[in-house]
Amino acid sequence: MKLTPQQEDRGAGVLLGQAIGDALGVPYEFSTPPIGEPEMLGGGLGNYAPGEWSDDTQMAACIARVSGWGADLTSTTALDEIAAGFEEWYAAGPGDVGNQTRAVLTAARGLTGSPSERLHAASRAHASSTSHSAGNGALMRTGIVGLTRIDDPGATSAAARSVAELTHPDPLAVDSCVLWSEAVRIAVLEGRFDLGQGLHLLEADRQEQWAGWIEAAAGANPSRFSPNGFTVAALQCAWAATTSTDDGSGSPLHVQRALSAAIQAGNDTDTVAAIAGALLGARYGASGLPARWRRRVHGWPGLRSSDLVGVAVTTARGCVDNDAWPAIPHMEYRDAGAWTPMAVPHPYDDGVLLGTWRDFRRAEELGVDAVVSLCRVGIRDVPAPGIAPEDHITVWLVDSDDPTANAYLDFVLDDTADAIEALRAEGERVLVHCAAAEQRTPSVAVRYSARRGVNREDAVQAIATMPSTRGSGLLWEVASSA
Ligand SMILES: [Mg+2]
């Protein structure tokens, strides 16, 4: 299915939102919740680095590695690849693994058959041996499944069911995955929250019970659903955190309130925030997620935000084109403007260089410590040579006069200006670039001027004199307006 720019942005936010929630929740897992806004401090049960995601997103990455090729996740081939990914991940000795997932993956080691046959046998045996087999360990990784068959609720629920059953065949665990994956699918396609719309995809005799659980969580204080190791409580806690903090304005600042609420509810904080984060990312997109978090998140198997964006987009598109963004190794811009060297100091901060694609290609020569890319870059372009991974920030900003192309233009311009200010406060020299520095770079430069205490009119005048500045168009007008 051909996605609109906004749908693609929202699809790009699913894994990234999950990873951000996960990394924010890690320090507080089964420990004291934060009083104010959570921070990516690392630590937690897996002794993670600051910004590192945990088992929730690690297991989601195993699914994404398969879904990113457009695979049908109900096929034996795909399930074998996902199961093999889970086994490989477990064999590598991850820092933290949920109890049920650990029991299933340990038991599977002694079994014969294909990877999915081993997991199915082990998970069924585990489920029949205990009355507590509906843990949140499948729900925590299901967000990406919502992108695999973006135009088909039936196929989405079948995929959610198949992937859940590898470790969590309990009907409630499976139902929670079907509901959340469908909610993610709807959020990406339609830009709205609707958890109840997936009820018809469940067995008829469980629909009423689930409707009651969803209704009880809507708008409720999320701490009512703590402890939340049970998949129903985890879903309710994530839904309560999402709905109780929604002011109806449509502002992506909702993401920050909702993730704080999810984590402040306590208990399995990283998992609940990962679940909520996938849905919030689906609703507000990669462009609605703050750069201060995007730049920090990373984790097994060696991925960072641009990788999560890439695999989410190819999953939502249902195919990979290695010659185009996001799968292309090195991006190329061919027009003359992109190949004109510029790298002029920002008129109000000579520690910020404003440049073109050519300048990005010579970032090392320019001697900068950080890069803010406002245009699309290839997977091997990040991080730029000589730049630490957390100091190369990629921004979802479309150079278009179509008012629907950028969902939150004001938010993105201000958030990017904040990110540049933070890099400068860390003592870094920053290259801010797009392709030809006509529109995106000057627009961000105007917004950044306000961080230097410069009056908007003076900033507009100064930046309009840069030779590359177009000085007209939607981005420039929004950036220049008070
Ligand atoms: Mg975790």
Side-chain angles (χ1 to χ4, degrees):
M1 168 178 183
K2 175 93 177 107
L3 301 171
T4 66
Q6 279 201 19
Q7 287 169 334
E8 198 148 86
D9 178 8
R10 293 196 292 261
V14 172
L15 272 180
L16 190 50
Q18 143 139 21
I20 286 172
D22 187 346
L24 281 170
V26 152
Y28 315 101
E29 185 181 14
F30 303 121
S31 162
T32 315
I35 306 290
E37 193 180 89
E39 289 181 68
M40 292 182 180
L41 303 170
L45 296 185
N47 195 23
Y48 298 102
E52 187 178 2
W53 58 70
S54 73
D55 54 335
D56 314 64
T57 310
Q58 291 168 352
M59 294 191 85
C62 296
I63 302 168
R65 192 157 61 180
V66 180
S67 69
W69 294 97
D72 169 5
L73 299 191
T74 64
S75 71
T76 309
T77 315
L79 290 169
D80 271 334
E81 284 184 43
I82 294 169
F86 289 168
E87 289 184 327
E88 182 193 320
W89 163 75
Y90 188 55
D96 181 28
V97 184
N99 292 336
Q100 190 170 341
T101 300
R102 180 188 300 279
V104 169
L105 287 172
T106 302
R109 279 175 173 166
L111 302 176
T112 55
S114 74
S116 69
E117 285 167 353
R118 288 197 292 270
L119 259 60
H120 277 137
S123 64
R124 279 192 219 109
H126 181 267
S128 58
S129 71
T130 168
S131 57
H132 292 88
S133 61
N136 61 24
L139 176 58
M140 72 183 194
R141 60 177 199 231
T142 204
I144 182 70
V145 180
L147 296 178
T148 56
R149 291 293 179 266
I150 195 82
D151 56 351
D152 187 341
T156 299
S157 73
R161 188 168 281 117
S162 294
V163 175
E165 283 173 348
L166 286 172
T167 51
H168 291 66
D170 185 289
L172 292 182
V174 173
D175 287 352
S176 66
C177 292
V178 169
L179 287 169
W180 208 258
S181 301
E182 174 64 3
V184 164
R185 193 190 70 80
I186 291 166
V188 170
L189 271 194
E190 301 176 23
R192 65 190 183 92
F193 295 113
D194 191 343
L195 187 54
Q197 193 164 322
L199 285 167
H200 71 100
L201 299 165
L202 308 181
E203 293 288 337
D205 61 352
R206 291 196 301 276
Q207 291 181 11
E208 201 180 314
Q209 188 176 35
W210 272 107
W213 281 330
I214 293 170
E215 199 187 324
N221 184 335
S223 57
R224 276 183 51 203
F225 309 101
S226 178
N228 37 49
F230 175 38
T231 201
V232 175
L235 176 139
Q236 286 182 298
C237 192
W239 186 237
T242 303
T243 48
S244 67
T245 53
D246 188 356
D247 64 6
S249 70
S251 160
L253 295 173
H254 179 204
V255 177
Q256 302 172 44
R257 292 193 302 272
L259 291 180
S260 289
I263 292 164
Q264 283 157 359
N267 201 240
D268 201 351
T269 47
D270 59 318
T271 292
V272 172
I275 296 164
L279 183 59
L280 290 157
R283 162 67 182 86
Y284 293 103
S287 69
L289 302 170
R292 70 177 184 283
W293 291 340
R294 295 198 318 266
R295 64 181 284 218
R296 301 280 181 205
V297 288
H298 67 281
W300 187 92
L303 306 179
R304 300 196 70 94
S305 15
S306 52
D307 304 301
L308 300 182
V309 163
V311 74
V313 167
T314 58
T315 299
R317 286 181 185 169
C319 61
V320 178
D321 177 354
N322 286 315
D323 295 324
W325 185 90
I328 192 169
H330 296 285
M331 198 72 186
E332 285 307 337
Y333 293 93
R334 301 192 186 284
D335 58 295
W339 283 97
T340 305
M342 193 172 93
V344 297
H346 188 284
Y348 302 104
D349 181 358
D350 61 9
V352 173
L353 296 180
L354 305 174
T356 60
W357 185 249
R358 176 80 186 89
D359 298 313
F360 170 65
R361 283 283 183 239
R362 60 178 186 136
E364 222 171 0
E365 180 193 320
L366 293 170
V368 293
D369 315 295
V371 172
V372 177
S373 294
L374 304 174
C375 60
R376 289 173 166 182
V377 296
I379 43 176
R380 303 234 180 284
D381 291 325
V382 198
I387 304 296
E390 69 272 20
D391 293 336
H392 189 165
I393 299 176
T394 53
V395 179
W396 191 290
L397 185 56
V398 186
D399 180 5
S400 169
D401 287 333
D402 176 352
T404 67
N406 293 287
Y408 316 108
L409 203 40
D410 254 310
F411 171 81
V412 172
L413 291 170
D414 280 331
D415 184 65
T416 307
D418 288 343
I420 298 167
E421 189 181 32
L423 289 166
R424 293 291 294 132
E426 292 163 28
E428 320 246 313
R429 283 186 81 232
V430 186
L431 171 66
V432 179
H433 81 94
C434 57
E438 291 176 356
Q439 184 76 332
R440 287 171 285 197
T441 300
S443 299
V444 166
V446 166
R447 280 294 167 100
Y448 176 65
S449 304
R451 307 298 188 277
R452 308 290 296 175
V454 178
N455 153 314
R456 186 72 54 93
E457 275 175 24
D458 293 345
V460 167
Q461 215 164 27
I463 290 158
T465 62
M466 275 177 17
S468 66
T469 303
R470 198 185 302 157
S472 63
L474 183 63
L475 268 67
W476 178 255
E477 282 158 23
V478 170
S480 312
S481 61

